[in-house]
Amino acid sequence: MSVAVKNVSNERVNDKFNLSLINPKLKTLYQYTDRFIEHIMGRNDLIIRQVIDSDELYLLSEARKAIYKQHASYFSQFYTNDYFIDDKDYSSYLFACYFQGEIVGTQRIATYPFEVCQYISDEALSHFLAHDYKDKYIEFSRLAVNKDYGLGKGVAHILNVVAGILVTMSIKKSHYITYSKPKLKRKAANFEKEVITFTIPDRNNEEYELYQSDTLIGMSRLLGIDKQPGLSLFDSINHVMMNGK
């Protein structure tokens, strides 16, 4: 399924724009995840793709503005020139959920340094995760969905899952962290019981929790793919996906 991206003006795209395709075999992975999305959501008009060019990045900025409109005064302080893309975006993997050519949801997945490092010390993170967390973990952040399209909460869930699949199967990192307000904790996620509680000064010192988990465990459960004899769980899942099963 092709993505119909609208013609847009993108003069505001930063000159250091240098996003790259996460995996040269993404087309094969997309064939699998497209079927998975249709199965879970019960519809074939939603697709999730990595953001890799300037037009898509501009549309991502416009989508963020629409999603954050109720809190525009707060979020606008983190961006410049009315362009809702920050420095961390340029070194992260960005994903968009498209509906009728429009971006209705976004997800960012980053390698170290993580966004949460602004609020939690290296010592605390090393104790919570492991001394080598900088090399082994990825961070899920900036998950946001436009509710104006009436697509339901399932979009956030499927965007999170599919983005995790695409990154894990591309860079072979499955341990991840993410954070949210305690009341927004995703019940479907297979998070470890222990958490780190912290506050964000720029958000009125609101309390957040940092969670950790493993994408491969969640993928095995959701996709119904078990570890095969003689193969790692990663290779078991990869074999099924790359062979179009």
Side-chain angles (χ1 to χ4, degrees), residues 107 138-141 160 176-180 186 191 198 209-213:
Q107 171 75 77
I138 54 177
E139 179 191 53
F140 286 67
S141 63
N160 190 275
Y176 75 91
I177 56 174
T178 190
Y179 66 90
S180 73
R186 290 185 292 118
F191 295 136
F198 64 99
E209 291 181 343
L210 180 72
Y211 314 108
Q212 64 166 309
S213 192

Side-chain angles (χ1 to χ4, degrees), residues 81-191:
N81 299 322
D82 196 36
Y83 185 55
F84 278 40
I85 300 296
D86 60 29
D87 288 342
K88 187 60 183 173
D89 289 321
Y90 291 101
S91 60
S92 301
Y93 305 115
L94 306 176
F95 297 91
C97 180
Y98 291 87
F99 172 67
Q100 298 179 351
E102 301 275 2
I103 293 179
V104 297
T106 70
Q107 171 75 77
R108 181 167 81 186
I109 298 181
T111 54
Y112 184 84
F114 304 128
E115 185 177 55
V116 78
C117 291
Q118 302 173 68
Y119 317 114
I120 304 176
S121 70
D122 174 70
E123 181 181 5
L125 287 171
S126 295
H127 180 74
F128 180 58
L129 303 173
H131 71 279
D132 55 355
Y133 76 91
K134 298 176 183 179
D135 298 318
K136 288 191 174 181
Y137 278 78
I138 54 177
E139 179 191 53
F140 286 67
S141 63
R142 303 299 172 93
L143 174 63
V145 174
N146 192 329
K147 299 178 181 178
D148 292 345
Y149 289 84
L151 297 171
K153 296 181 179 179
V155 173
H157 174 65
I158 202 69
L159 179 55
N160 190 275
V161 170
V162 170
I165 289 173
L166 297 173
V167 171
T168 297
M169 304 314 294
S170 297
I171 67 173
K172 298 183 179 181
K173 290 187 178 184
S174 65
H175 296 290
Y176 75 91
I177 56 174
T178 190
Y179 66 90
S180 73
K181 297 177 184 179
K183 65 180 181 180
L184 299 178
K185 181 179 180 180
R186 290 185 292 118
K187 296 180 180 179
N190 187 40
F191 295 136

Side-chain angles (χ1 to χ4, degrees), residues 213-230:
S213 192
D214 190 318
T215 57
L216 285 177
I217 295 174
M219 288 163 59
S220 175
R221 176 170 56 85
L222 282 172
L223 304 177
I225 303 173
D226 297 322
K227 182 180 179 301
Q228 299 300 306

